Amino acid sequence: MSEKEKDVVVTEKVVSEADELPKTIVRRVVKDKLSQLSKDSDVNVLRESLQGFCESARIFIHFLSATASDVCKESKRQIINAEDVFKALEEIEFAEFVAPLRTSLEEFRRKNAKRKSESLKAKEMNKKGKMKEPPVTNGGGSEEEDEDESSEE
Amino acid sequence: MENIPHQMAATASQPAMYPSQTPYPQLLQQQQQQIHMFWNYQRQEIEQVNDFRNHQLPLARIKKIMKADEDVRMISAEAPILFSKACELFILELTIRSWLHAEENKRRTLQKNDIAAAITRTDIFDFLVDIVPRDDIKEEAATFGAILGPPGVATGATGVPYYYPPMGQPMMGQPAMPGMDQGIYLQAPPHPPSQAWQSVWQTTPDDGSYASGGGGTSSNQANLDGQDESSGFLI
């Protein structure tokens, strides 16, 4: 039986671990949900089932990013942005994800803005402390870096 | 459960869409109970979604997976964040549906064929059809095919309607049932049942009602009250 399993593994597409989503995190997501769904008793997840979740999620990313890429191209842009992703979700009939994702995005943007303003304040303090070089270019440059950090890939 | 009489009344007044008589009242009630349980779980799902749990999938890994596709070139900084969350939501969906299948078979262990069944049952998971082997559920798939019939028949906009068999019950393809089922499933109302899902995701259910249609999607706003008439039967 295990030999048969081995054969199956070989003929299936094997993706290296580094290209998959981390099993521990996927496992946590699944187990937390299961413990919610089945409050009185534990539900087990077989190792191969976890693999199924990881693979499915990975393919989902591919599917969504390909669709988002198409949406982006249609609008004659180069960079896939948040709106492309939302539109793509609707196209692949996962529109129900859009609202919670928007909320998440708002949260992220708020946190990010806060982080930036705090780091800007810290820099200002530093400038005051140094009192030597003109600090202008430094402050401006690193802010841009932050924003564009992954726009060119 | 108080919505049920309302639903029955609603459906009775639209004979063109549903059979005006319900030949199997006890079975129907049982189904509705199960549907109710099902939606309870969905409600938990919604609550979780607004929970901001920190299951953050690593952005670098996600970026790597995205870039494996050559067509995907430049990605804004926000995109991987969205993908991470979307992925998490997706895993949650898949978990719920796989769990339902395990529950139906009275198992406490999630097996690969549970995932496979969840994929087969859910149309929007069609892109996963070759990923998880489905040898164990060929029979199920055949039964589904018989019930749903040709894809384009049931709904206008989105194609095949969502269909979730009642939990803990044998498949709908039993000899006693098919006539009624086909009547129900193939004569779907103009609003695709997938809208029911969207409203579930996008609104927090207020009371013990079923897929309490919120203002989530524009076409749902038209039938906030009567929305359950579709989800009640089709789900």
Side-chain angles (χ1 to χ4, degrees):
Chain A
M1 187 62 117
S2 63
E3 249 186 15
K4 210 176 177 188
E5 276 185 295
K6 256 193 245 167
D7 286 343
V8 172
V9 167
V10 165
T11 51
E12 280 176 4
K13 229 197 284 182
V14 176
V15 184
S16 79
E17 283 253 0
D19 294 333
E20 291 183 329
L21 293 170
K23 284 210 186 92
T24 43
I25 301 187
V26 175
R27 173 188 215 89
R28 214 187 314 145
V29 176
V30 173
K31 290 285 274 185
D32 281 354
K33 189 63 198 171
L34 288 177
S35 62
Q36 266 186 22
L37 290 170
S38 168
K39 291 203 164 103
D40 46 348
S41 56
D42 277 340
V43 182
N44 291 320
V45 181
L46 296 180
R47 191 167 17 112
E48 59 162 15
S49 315
L50 192 62
Q51 186 62 28
F53 280 111
C54 288
E55 265 303 286
S56 304
R58 191 175 66 83
I59 300 299
F60 174 72
I61 293 179
H62 277 306
F63 189 33
L64 183 59
S65 54
T67 311
S69 171
D70 287 341
V71 169
C72 180
K73 281 182 191 156
E74 271 170 36
S75 335
K76 301 208 169 57
R77 273 178 288 108
Q78 304 283 31
I79 306 176
I80 301 179
N81 62 19
E83 285 310 312
D84 295 331
V85 179
F86 290 134
K87 203 160 173 209
L89 280 168
E90 284 176 18
E91 274 196 29
I92 62 173
E93 298 184 55
F94 278 90
E96 62 248 26
F97 286 7
V98 171
L101 282 182
R102 278 198 197 273
T103 318
S104 268
L105 185 61
E106 289 310 314
E107 177 90 5
F108 167 75
R109 283 174 176 167
R110 266 204 312 269
K111 281 187 186 159
N112 217 24
K114 192 176 170 192
R115 189 169 56 83
K116 276 188 190 167
S117 76
E118 276 172 2
S119 90
L120 191 57
K121 273 185 208 160
K123 278 172 195 150
E124 304 256 301
M125 301 287 279
N126 273 344
K127 287 176 208 171
K128 282 179 187 165
K130 279 183 185 172
M131 283 202 317
K132 278 185 188 173
E133 313 115 313
V136 179
T137 44
N138 261 350
S142 47
E143 264 214 61
E144 276 172 24
E145 255 175 58
D146 250 279
E147 277 183 45
D148 295 344
E149 104 192 279
S150 7
S151 65
E152 303 245 9
E153 309 245 0
Chain B
M1 292 297 243
E2 57 271 5
N3 271 346
I4 298 172
H6 174 75
Q7 286 174 28
M8 303 284 265
T11 55
S13 67
Q14 301 182 38
M17 301 195 181
Y18 296 106
S20 53
Q21 54 186 9
T22 52
Y24 309 98
Q26 302 135 328
L27 203 53
L28 207 57
Q29 198 177 26
Q30 218 181 342
Q31 284 175 28
Q32 282 166 340
Q33 273 177 8
Q34 287 158 346
I35 290 167
H36 189 62
M37 279 164 68
F38 181 80
W39 282 113
N40 268 331
Y41 300 127
Q42 290 309 302
R43 202 187 329 224
Q44 290 177 26
E45 179 65 42
I46 295 162
E47 283 158 13
Q48 159 136 13
V49 152
N50 289 324
D51 215 349
F52 299 127
R53 288 194 192 182
N54 232 351
H55 286 301
Q56 186 104 27
L57 294 159
L59 301 183
R61 197 72 71 91
I62 291 181
K63 256 191 254 179
K64 201 171 177 189
I65 296 176
M66 286 172 76
K67 311 246 353 160
D69 183 348
E70 284 168 357
D71 288 338
V72 177
R73 297 277 162 77
M74 298 197 276
I75 316 168
S76 81
E78 295 176 331
I81 313 263
L82 291 176
F83 272 82
S84 162
K85 189 74 187 168
C87 216
E88 191 184 326
L89 294 176
F90 169 78
I91 295 174
L92 290 174
E93 274 256 30
L94 194 54
T95 305
I96 295 176
R97 290 164 202 238
S98 310
W99 175 78
L100 279 174
H101 187 259
E103 279 282 293
E104 279 171 33
N105 297 328
K106 297 190 174 33
R107 267 185 283 108
R108 290 267 173 241
T109 306
L110 221 58
Q111 296 173 355
K112 216 167 183 184
N113 69 335
D114 293 322
I115 305 181
I119 291 173
T120 310
R121 287 178 180 183
T122 317
D123 299 313
I124 57 176
F125 288 173
D126 276 349
F127 67 96
L128 290 169
V129 124
D130 295 321
I131 307 302
V132 182
R134 28 182 294 222
D135 336 276
D136 301 331
I137 43 137
K138 265 187 211 151
E139 214 178 280
E140 255 188 51
T143 317
F144 269 88
I147 290 177
L148 288 179
V153 173
T155 61
T158 57
V160 192
Y162 279 81
Y163 170 63
Y164 301 101
M167 290 161 16
Q169 261 206 341
M171 301 312 295
M172 297 288 271
Q174 282 187 342
M177 297 289 287
M180 177 175 128
D181 286 350
Q182 285 189 346
I184 288 178
Y185 288 96
L186 293 183
Q187 296 172 35
H191 292 289
S194 58
Q195 302 279 355
W197 275 103
Q198 292 174 14
S199 69
V200 169
W201 278 101
Q202 291 167 5
T203 65
T204 325
D206 33 10
D207 48 24
S209 59
Y210 290 22
S212 54
T217 51
S218 51
S219 47
N220 261 341
Q221 286 170 1
N223 49 342
L224 270 179
D225 293 322
Q227 191 229 343
D228 291 347
E229 67 191 281
S230 60
S231 54
F233 280 91
L234 288 167
I235 291 177

